[in-house]
Amino acid sequence: MLMAHMLPMGFFETIMWPLHWAVSGLLVLAHTIFSPFTGNDTGLTWVLSIVLLTVVIRTLLIPLFVRQIRSTRNMQVIQPKLRELQEKYSHDREKMGMEMQKLYKEEGVNPFASCFPILLQMPIFFALFQVLNGVSRGNPVGTFLIDRPHLIESMQQATIFGAQISETFWPVTDGFGAVQIVAVILIITMTATMFLSQRQLMGKNMPPEAMTGQFAQQQKMMLYLFPLIFAVGGVNFPIGLLIYWTVTNLWSMAQQFYVIRNNPTPNTPAYAAWEERLRAKGHDPKMYKPGQKIPRKPVERFGTAQSGDDATGASDDTQATKETRPKVQRQQPRRQSRSKRRR
């Protein structure tokens, strides 16, 4: 079966075949799970199938996402050192490049690591686009959909809020209808969540010294450029693909919020908020590091007295008791005579 599907394909299709196989298999599996509860041919079943596919993909990408956050944070921390090198070796670009590579190696930073999750997700995005686009055009992609023609027809006819999930905003054939309305709402939501996710990272988890320089300019460019690209290209995305990308952005926002809240970069607003939460719970922020598990009860240092008014009050009461206690002078026993002892 593998060779039968691979031989007629071109080079690109051959490379993408494993992803087509996986995406179509996950969609069919999710449809099998939800169809007994929400119906075999309903739009809700296919939407839930796409959501489950998103959750599975994002769960698999969690290690790379955490690595991306750490790499971005490390790049932010070394920005002052990079600017010093750029100013010091501005006349010698070769020497500056060597020193920058040396700094990356010493700090354990990979300047390209922050792009890995995006680059890895793009083939998955293309695979899902081709699978859903193939369904909308009646040209199924993926082994599990090719072998199940009845699911192709089911997905083509499935609707959500009156719009078929296989249709696209453009071209507009029958006027501005339910497809265009749902597509516009999803495009706005998709671009807004993408913008807010990047804005959350720059506004809360970047130190002030990292907000200037070439790296900061690149971050600001990505902040506005990526949402604009997806907003323009979204008019050609099927409704199902817009649902996938919107759910992906929502997942990224929640995941990023959790990482920034519990493992913030030093000298950032998120780090200051993390310290305030520790103090409110009675902990000393100097005793912990971001990402470290914090016990519920504050840990008292060895040999220290109780803190707060209770300790002060207890010591005052003890001192007052010592001062007001009457002093009793001990009397030495008198020596008795032999006659008195006999009595």
Side-chain angles (χ1 to χ4, degrees):
M1 180 180 293
L2 173 62
M3 295 301 297
H5 284 289
M6 292 181 62
L7 287 176
M9 298 180 180
F11 179 74
F12 179 76
E13 288 78 6
T14 303
I15 295 177
M16 293 295 294
W17 183 90
L19 291 177
H20 294 158
W21 180 86
V23 169
S24 62
L26 284 174
L27 277 176
V28 172
L29 176 62
H31 181 271
T32 304
I33 294 174
F34 292 116
S35 58
F37 307 99
T38 56
N40 189 57
D41 300 322
T42 62
L44 179 60
T45 300
W46 287 110
V47 169
L48 292 177
S49 301
I50 295 173
V51 171
L52 180 59
L53 172 66
T54 306
V55 172
V56 172
I57 292 175
R58 298 301 299 180
T59 302
L60 294 175
L61 292 177
I62 284 178
L64 289 176
F65 177 82
V66 174
R67 184 177 179 181
Q68 176 192 10
I69 291 293
R70 291 176 179 175
S71 177
T72 304
R73 182 177 61 183
N74 293 336
M75 284 293 297
Q76 295 166 357
V77 171
I78 67 172
Q79 283 305 304
K81 296 181 180 180
L82 287 176
R83 283 196 295 269
E84 292 178 2
L85 292 177
Q86 292 172 354
E87 294 175 359
K88 184 177 180 180
Y89 300 103
S90 58
H91 60 283
D92 190 350
R93 291 187 173 275
E94 183 178 357
K95 181 66 174 179
M96 180 176 63
M98 295 175 60
E99 292 296 326
M100 290 175 64
Q101 292 296 328
K102 183 179 178 181
L103 178 62
Y104 291 148
K105 186 175 181 180
E106 292 176 352
E107 299 292 337
V109 176
N110 185 354
F112 302 104
S114 60
C115 301
F116 287 159
I118 298 176
L119 295 177
L120 185 61
Q121 189 176 351
M122 292 309 294
I124 301 174
F125 169 75
F126 287 132
L128 184 60
F129 172 80
Q130 291 174 340
V131 169
L132 296 179
N133 190 55
V135 171
S136 63
R137 298 178 183 274
N139 183 22
V141 177
T143 304
F144 290 91
L145 289 176
I146 293 175
D147 296 340
R148 295 167 176 81
H150 64 282
L151 292 181
I152 301 298
E153 184 178 357
S154 173
M155 191 183 298
Q156 285 181 331
Q157 302 300 325
T159 60
I160 183 73
F161 299 113
Q164 294 183 355
I165 62 176
S166 60
E167 293 293 332
T168 60
F169 177 90
W170 189 265
V172 181
T173 56
D174 298 329
F176 199 87
V179 174
Q180 283 69 36
I181 295 175
V182 174
V184 167
I185 294 174
L186 288 175
I187 290 172
I188 294 175
T189 306
M190 177 184 65
T191 54
T193 51
M194 185 178 295
F195 176 84
L196 293 176
S197 180
Q198 185 67 17
R199 183 66 179 176
Q200 176 182 246
L201 179 63
M202 296 181 61
K204 294 184 178 181
N205 206 40
M206 289 185 67
E209 58 270 14
M211 298 300 292
T212 58
Q214 184 178 0
F215 182 76
Q217 295 298 325
Q218 294 175 355
Q219 294 290 322
K220 292 178 181 178
M221 184 180 300
M222 292 173 59
L223 175 65
Y224 296 99
L225 184 60
F226 276 6
L228 180 61
I229 292 175
F230 277 85
V232 174
V235 297
N236 294 315
F237 295 166
I239 298 294
L241 189 61
L242 293 175
I243 294 173
Y244 162 80
W245 206 254
T246 302
V247 175
T248 295
N249 292 340
L250 291 173
W251 177 285
S252 298
M253 285 184 61
Q255 192 174 22
Q256 188 171 264
F257 174 81
Y258 177 82
V259 173
I260 293 176
R261 178 181 174 86
N262 295 279
N263 194 8
T265 303
N267 193 26
T268 60
Y271 190 85
W274 176 79
E275 290 182 322
E276 287 297 327
R277 290 194 301 271
L278 287 185
R279 293 192 187 98
K281 296 179 180 179
H283 297 286
D284 185 4
K286 297 180 180 179
M287 298 177 61
Y288 304 98
K289 295 180 180 180
Q292 182 179 354
K293 186 177 180 180
I294 309 300
R296 293 184 179 181
K297 296 183 179 180
V299 179
E300 296 181 359
R301 295 182 179 180
F302 180 76
T304 58
Q306 295 179 351
S307 60
D309 298 336
D310 295 340
T312 305
S315 60
D316 294 341
D317 294 341
T318 304
Q319 186 67 23
T321 304
K322 291 181 178 179
E323 293 177 355
T324 57
R325 182 181 298 171
K327 296 181 179 180
V328 180
Q329 185 176 2
R330 184 178 180 183
Q331 297 181 356
Q332 295 293 333
R334 295 180 180 181
R335 184 177 182 182
Q336 296 179 347
S337 63
R338 183 177 296 177
S339 60
K340 291 182 178 180
R341 288 198 300 271
R342 287 178 180 177
R343 293 177 184 176

